[in-house]
C-alpha cells in the first residue's frame, strides 16, 4: 500500500482557523447550534468543500453533505463525517477532526489520482451536542428516523424558541419529515474522532476501532417548591426545590456507582434554580441528567432507580415533580466487516490498533441504524475532551486521516 500524502500542517492550520470561529475568546471554543459562530463555521466547511470540487447540499435541519461523485452513480455511496458544533467552554478537536480530517483524506486521494467507483460523501451533522435543546445528535437522529419529525418540531430551548425558529435563522429550507434517509442508502459510514478517553494514550496505540457504542438516556427534571424570605421562613415550613434537586443529583451518582456494571456513568450536567438570590429560598429547580452504559439492562435499571428516588424525595419534601425521559437510546453494535477492514488498513500502514468500546456517544450511534457503521479513534492527551485543553497532536491526527483515507478508498472500490 502506497501511503497517502497527508498534509498535517495544512490540516492543523485549518483546525486552528476554525477554532477562532467561536462565541468565546481563545483558547475556549463555543459554537452552539445556529449561533453566529456556528453559521460562520458552516460556511468555512462549505468553502473548503467547494475548493475540492465537491457537490454541496443541505437538508431541512442543516445537515451538510459534500459529495465526490463516483464512476458508478447507481451504487450506494460511502460516507464519513462528524460535527463542528461545540458546547460552551470546549476545545478545538472534538468533531472537527472528523470533518476537516475527512476533507484532507479526500484531498490526498484526489492528489494521488484515485477515482472512486462508489461516490464518497462527507456528512457534517447538525447539533451533535445537546446544548441548544438538551438532546444530542439532533441531525443524525432525524436522518435515522429515531426522532420523529413531529417530535423534533416541539423541541424548545431555555428561552422558549423552537426548532423551526432556529432552522429559519440557519437558512434551512424544506420540511423536517424530508430529512430521514432510506435504509442502506449508504454502503457504509466511518467516523474519525478523538477518543475522549485515556486508553490509547496510556497503551501507546495510535488507532482505535470501535466495536460498540454506549447507550445514552437523558432525564429532564422540573421541581416546584415554595419560595420565601431566607430569614422569615423557618426550617420546618420549607419546601426547598434546590435541596430536592440536590438529593436527586446524589441519587444519580448512587445509581451509577451501584449498577453492577463498570460502564454505567451518571451526570447531572444542568442544575438551574430560581430566584437565585442569597436571601431567598429556591422555589424552582431544573435538572438535566445523563445516564449511559454499554448494557441496556443496567442503564435502564439505573434510570428507573433515579426516577423512583425523585418521586420519593419530592413526596417527602412536599415539592412538585415533573419528570420527562427526553431520550432513551439503545447501544450500537458496529459492523464487523468495517472493523476488520480498518484493522487490515492499519496492518498495511504499520500502525497498531485496538478494538474499543465508545463510552461517549456520537452520530455513528444513529448512522448504524441507517447502514453498516463504525468509528476510528485517535489518542487525545490525558483523555481530556469538552475542555479548552483538549489536544491531539498533528502526527496523531495524520495517522487517523491516513487510516480513514485508505479505508474509504477500499470501500469505494
Amino acid at each position: 500500500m502506497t501511503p497517502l500524502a497527508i498534509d498535517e500542517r495544512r490540516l492543523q492550520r485549518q483546525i486552528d482557523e476554525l477554532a477562532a470561529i467561536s462565541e468565546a475568546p481563545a483558547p475556549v471554543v463555543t459554537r452552539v447550534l445556529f449561533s453566529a459562530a456556528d453559521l460562520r463555521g458552516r460556511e468555512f466547511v462549505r468553502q473548503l468543500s467547494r475548493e475540492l470540487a465537491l457537490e454541496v447540499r443541505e437538508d431541512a435541519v442543516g445537515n451538510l453533505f459534500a459529495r465526490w461523485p463516483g464512476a458508478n452513480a447507481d451504487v450506494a455511496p460511502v460516507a464519513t463525517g462528524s460535527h463542528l458544533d461545540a458546547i460552551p467552554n470546549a476545545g478545538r478537536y472534538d468533531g472537527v477532526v472528523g470533518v476537516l480530517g475527512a476533507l484532507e483524506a479526500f484531498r490526498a486521494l484526489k492528489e494521488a489520482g484515485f477515482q472512486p467507483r462508489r461516490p464518497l460523501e462527507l456528512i457534517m451533522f447538525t447539533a451533535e451536542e445537546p446544548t441548544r435543546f438538551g438532546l444530542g445528535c439532533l441531525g443524525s437522529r432525524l436522518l435515522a428516523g429515531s426522532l420523529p419529525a413531529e417530535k423534533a418540531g416541539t423541541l424548545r430551548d431555555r428561552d422558549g424558541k423552537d426548532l423551526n425558529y432556529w432552522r429559519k435563522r440557519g437558512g434551512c429550507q424544506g420540511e423536517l419529515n424530508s430529512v430521514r434517509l432510506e435504509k442502506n442508502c449508504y454502503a457504509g459510514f466511518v467516523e474519525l474522532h478523538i477518543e475522549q478517553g485515556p486508553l490509547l494514550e496510556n497503551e501507546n496505540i495510535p488507532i482505535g476501532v470501535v466495536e460498540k457504542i454506549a447507550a445514552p438516556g437523558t432525564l429532564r427534571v422540573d421541581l416546584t417548591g415554595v419560595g420565601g424570605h431566607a430569614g422569615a421562613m423557618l426550617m420546618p415550613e420549607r419546601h426547598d426545590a434546590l435541596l430536592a434537586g440536590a438529593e436527586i443529583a446524589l441519587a444519580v451518582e448512587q445509581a451509577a456507582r451501584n449498577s453492577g456494571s463498570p460502564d454505567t456513568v451518571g451526570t447531572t450536567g444542568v442544575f438551574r434554580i430560581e430566584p437565585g438570590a442569597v436571601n431567598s429560598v429556591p422555589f424552582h429547580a431544573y435538572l438535566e441528567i445523563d445516564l449511559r452504559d454499554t448494557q441496556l439492562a443496567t442503564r435502564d435499571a439505573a434510570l428507573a432507580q433515579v426516577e423512583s428516588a425523585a418521586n420519593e424525595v419530592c413526596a417527602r419534601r412536599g415539592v412538585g415533580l415533573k419528570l420527562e425521559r427526553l431520550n432513551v437510546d439503545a447501544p450500537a453494535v458496529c459492523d464487523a466487516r468495517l472493523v476488520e477492514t480498518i484493522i487490515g488498513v492499519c496492518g498495511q500502514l504499520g500502525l497498531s490498533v485496538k478494538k474499543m468500546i465508545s463510552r461517549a456517544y456520537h452520530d455513528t450511534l444513529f448512522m448504524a441504524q441507517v447502514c453498516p457503521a463504525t468509528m476510528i479513534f485517535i489518542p487525545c492527551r490525558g483523555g481530556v475532551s469538552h475542555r479548552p485543553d483538549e489536544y491531539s497532536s498533528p502526527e496523531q491526527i495524520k495517522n487517523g486521516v491516513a487510516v480513514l483515507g485508505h479505508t474509504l478508498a477500499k470501500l469505494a472500490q
Side-chain angles (χ1 to χ4, degrees):
M1 177 183 288
T2 304
L4 293 171
I6 307 299
D7 189 336
E8 69 269 33
R9 287 178 293 183
R10 174 176 57 204
L11 179 53
Q12 186 63 54
R13 184 171 63 251
Q14 292 171 352
I15 291 171
D16 293 341
E17 288 174 5
L18 184 55
I21 302 174
S22 172
E23 299 164 47
V28 170
V29 177
T30 302
R31 285 188 295 267
V32 179
L33 172 64
F34 295 143
S35 65
D38 184 50
L39 295 177
R40 288 172 57 209
R42 288 165 176 270
E43 182 55 33
F44 182 83
V45 173
R46 285 191 205 99
Q47 183 60 37
L48 291 179
S49 299
R50 294 187 185 109
E51 289 173 6
L52 287 172
L54 304 179
E55 299 174 353
V56 179
R57 66 180 179 88
E58 294 181 49
D59 66 17
V61 79
N63 292 311
L64 183 146
F65 304 83
R67 178 171 292 202
W68 179 359
N72 189 343
D74 297 325
V75 296
V78 174
T80 183
S82 195
H83 66 98
L84 63 73
D85 65 312
I87 66 167
N89 201 50
R92 66 186 59 196
Y93 298 95
D94 175 15
V96 168
V97 166
V99 175
L100 300 185
L103 290 174
E104 178 61 27
F106 283 12
R107 187 188 298 272
L109 287 167
K110 282 175 174 280
E111 290 175 350
F114 176 75
Q115 296 293 329
R117 185 177 74 87
R118 294 180 182 274
L120 288 171
E121 188 150 84
L122 165 69
I123 308 175
M124 189 180 75
F125 297 97
T126 285
E128 192 267 356
E129 303 292 3
T131 314
R132 176 70 69 195
F133 297 110
L135 180 69
C137 296
L138 174 62
S140 55
R141 286 179 190 274
L142 283 163
L143 290 172
S146 65
L147 175 65
E150 298 77 16
K151 184 174 181 181
T154 68
L155 293 173
R156 293 182 180 274
D157 65 14
R158 62 185 297 179
D159 297 321
K161 295 184 174 72
D162 65 10
L163 176 57
N164 286 327
Y165 169 88
W166 286 107
R167 287 202 306 132
K168 184 177 180 180
R169 178 184 172 91
C172 300
Q173 298 180 350
E175 300 298 323
L176 284 173
N177 58 17
S178 69
V179 173
R180 185 172 183 175
L181 297 173
E182 292 184 9
K183 184 79 171 175
N184 292 318
C185 63
Y186 291 109
F189 175 80
V190 181
E191 181 175 5
L192 173 64
H193 208 281
I194 63 172
E195 181 194 348
Q196 298 182 295
L199 298 182
L200 292 175
E201 182 183 59
N202 289 348
E203 298 176 33
N204 197 29
I205 297 174
I207 299 293
V209 59
V210 175
E211 294 186 291
K212 194 173 182 181
I213 303 173
T218 306
L219 298 177
R220 279 179 170 171
V221 181
D222 200 280
L223 305 172
T224 304
V226 178
H229 194 286
M233 182 172 276
L234 299 180
M235 300 308 290
E237 300 170 357
R238 294 195 178 193
H239 304 280
D240 189 319
L242 181 151
L243 294 179
E247 283 201 58
I248 293 168
L250 290 172
V252 172
E253 181 185 39
Q254 288 302 308
R257 286 184 178 275
N258 299 332
S259 73
S261 166
D263 294 325
T264 308
V265 289
T267 306
T268 303
V270 174
F271 196 150
R272 298 196 293 264
I273 63 165
E274 293 180 86
V278 68
N279 62 343
S280 185
V281 177
F283 69 87
H284 180 253
Y286 175 83
L287 292 73
E288 289 182 2
I289 295 164
D290 179 300
L291 272 162
R292 59 183 78 182
D293 199 324
T294 56
Q295 302 175 58
L296 202 58
T298 47
R299 195 280 314 276
D300 286 350
L303 278 172
Q305 185 178 334
V306 171
E307 290 169 334
S308 176
N311 279 287
E312 185 278 324
V313 166
C314 290
R316 171 165 43 82
R317 288 186 170 274
V319 170
L321 169 65
K322 180 181 178 182
L323 193 150
E324 175 189 4
R325 288 191 174 192
L326 187 60
N327 63 279
V328 182
D329 300 303
V333 177
C334 296
D335 183 76
R337 181 181 64 88
L338 291 180
V339 169
E340 291 306 316
T341 298
I342 292 167
I343 290 172
V345 166
C346 289
Q348 290 176 306
L349 293 175
L351 297 170
S352 57
V353 60
K354 177 183 178 68
K355 291 182 178 181
M356 304 186 73
I357 291 171
S358 176
R359 290 171 174 82
Y361 73 95
H362 305 275
D363 290 302
T364 301
L365 180 69
F366 299 99
M367 288 303 293
Q369 300 174 23
V370 175
C371 65
T374 188
M375 301 185 72
I376 297 167
F377 276 173
I378 60 170
C380 55
R381 185 174 59 197
V384 166
S385 185
H386 283 191
R387 285 171 21 188
D389 55 337
E390 172 183 274
Y391 179 75
S392 291
S393 72
E395 184 66 23
Q396 290 167 333
I397 297 170
K398 179 180 180 179
N399 287 335
V401 173
V403 173
L404 176 65
H406 284 290
T407 299
L408 294 175
K410 284 181 176 291
L411 298 177
Q413 293 301 84

